[in-house]
Amino acid sequence: MDSIGDSDRSRLPALDSDLLLAFITVADSGGFTTAARYLHKTQSTISLRVSTLEDRLGTRLLNRTSRHLSLTPDGQTFLVYARRLLQLQREALGALSVSSEPITLRFGLPEDHADTWLPALLERFSAAHPEVRVHIHCRMSTELLDRLDDGSLDLVLAVRHAADSGGEVVGKEAVVWAAHRDFQLDPQRPLPLALFPEQCIYRRRALQALTERGLAWQVDSTSQSPSGLRVIVDQARALTLCDLRSLPEHWRVLGEAEGLPPLPAAELEIHRSPSLTHPAFEAFVQRLQEVIADAVPASS
């Protein structure tokens, strides 16, 4: 086999990781503006990096118009190889342990899911990757996805709010009506509810189900915190929504016997920023999928 001579090497384009990452992020996010937010760069910088990559490859990778951006046929082909090249670089650096500086992974998930998944997740991950500092953010799913979109988070575990959300479904959880065991329904009065705020998908689905069944209801209490709702429900004066998995021992499930409609299951999904650049981050995603699979059946 002939070896590559110096003159041949000089003709190979230099595919810097910054150029590859800019192209991949633009392709995944659908635009230069969003890609710039993910990568914490200016839009002009991202545009320059993609243009530089196109110049070095001698082909156009993106079709750009004022309203639309799409991959060219060469862009579609190269995107597969760009992902592989960047992943190989990450794995090589991780295997060599070239840096001892701590790395931060900004991970967001709802508070009630944090109680369930975080202890086992952090135990499994931290033992294998002590160089990574996991910065936890607990908010409602919609808020977390907004923070992922503006570049404030790297990874989010959320409840699916739309069929086209773009997340990877990793499991489903049963959602039930729940109340303190001493709570008694009064058929002469509207259902007293304690719920998350209006942006909560659980809340919207529950109120729609009650309305469709013709049941009267009123939201007596609202809290962004699951612990806040637990305090309210423990007064035995309101019912709420709850993942069956996290039902407290002193609560009970209400359903058809009490005239309440069934509720659709909650789909759990993972959203990741295209700018994740460290091989340990993929290991974190794998550990997250494992701890969820241990307790929640995988979605088909």
Side-chain angles (χ1 to χ4, degrees), residues 185-254:
L185 280 174
D186 184 347
Q188 304 303 317
R189 301 184 61 184
L191 293 170
L193 303 175
L195 302 174
F196 286 117
E198 293 182 0
Q199 61 265 42
C200 173
I201 188 65
Y202 290 136
R203 172 181 172 136
R204 295 204 299 268
R205 290 173 176 173
L207 297 184
Q208 179 181 356
L210 292 175
T211 301
E212 290 175 352
R213 184 160 288 198
L215 296 174
W217 51 267
Q218 63 184 34
V219 179
D220 288 344
S221 303
T222 300
S223 173
Q224 291 199 20
S225 167
S227 59
L229 289 180
R230 284 194 291 269
V231 171
I232 296 166
V233 175
D234 281 345
Q235 303 304 308
R237 296 179 180 177
L239 67 155
T240 189
L241 310 168
C242 182
D243 296 322
L244 186 58
R245 160 192 52 79
S246 58
L247 184 76
E249 292 184 2
H250 56 288
W251 288 14
R252 63 188 177 95
V253 174
L254 294 84

Side-chain angles (χ1 to χ4, degrees), residues 41-61:
K41 303 293 182 183
T42 64
Q43 182 175 339
S44 59
T45 297
I46 300 302
S47 180
L48 177 60
R49 289 180 179 180
V50 173
S51 296
T52 300
L53 180 62
E54 290 177 324
D55 289 343
R56 292 185 183 181
L57 293 173
T59 187
R60 183 166 293 279
L61 301 174

Side-chain angles (χ1 to χ4, degrees), residues 160 168-172 267-268 296-300:
R160 170 168 282 197
E168 174 189 358
V169 176
V170 291
K172 292 183 179 181
E267 292 182 300
L268 302 177
V296 178
S299 174
S300 58

Side-chain angles (χ1 to χ4, degrees), residues 3 115 143 160 174 181 199 249 266 278:
S3 61
D115 292 339
E143 295 179 64
R160 170 168 282 197
R181 60 192 173 201
Q199 61 265 42
E249 292 184 2
H278 194 277

